[in-house]
Amino acid sequence: MQIKQRHDWNLTTSEAKAIQEKLQKEVITEDKFKEPVKYVAGVDMGFEDNGKTSRAAVAVLSFPDLQLQEQSIAKRPTSFPYIPGFLSFREIPAVLDALEKINTIPDIILCDGQGIAHPRRMGIASHLGVIIDMPTIGVAKSWLIGNYEEVSQEKGSWQPLIHKNETIGAVLRTRSNVKPVYVSSGHRISLPTAIDYVLRCTPKYRLPETTRIADKLASNR
């Protein structure tokens, strides 16, 4: 993939916040992608040397059979501290390096993190999607913001995630009687469509196959 850098990554938190607020205006939460989808990808991060080195992984799977087609790993020095709400500035630089190595271009990227379910509606999935202008979905393992009603225990059940009277995502049960995940639009995809693709990418486990494979690569397991 060829990627055009939109901004610098060596920033203060105030500069990073200003970039989030600027790029958020470009986020599209409607379906703007071609179907049928042939390839889906997962991106995930790991860290080495006590956090000094970022290790990003990309796994591209065929869809709908979810067979691994291509993978890449990229490492670079970590240049931004761990600050909740600003994780994209810590993680995306290495993710972009890994994406530049792949030849199989995915139709949708599932990110291990939030999309618009973020205080400034600019989690890592939205930030990445805007930068590379591709459809992205946030699939987070943990809650960040918002309120929701209890979700039924059956796979496929979900409840809207509400923040400041706005639906910013869904709390989705991807496996019966297992903790839910937190799904939100990243870029160029609506919430109902995001839920649909997340469920179609989770045939057996709690997390999408894209995330599971990328996580193993990023963690060097």
Side-chain angles (χ1 to χ4, degrees), residues 69 76 150 163:
Q69 301 298 305
R76 66 154 59 196
E150 186 162 346
H163 182 247

Side-chain angles (χ1 to χ4, degrees), residues 62-83:
S62 54
F63 186 85
D65 57 338
L66 304 175
Q67 298 300 305
L68 181 64
Q69 301 298 305
E70 189 177 357
Q71 63 187 47
S72 71
I73 295 172
K75 299 182 184 182
R76 66 154 59 196
T78 304
S79 59
F80 198 90
Y82 174 82
I83 303 174

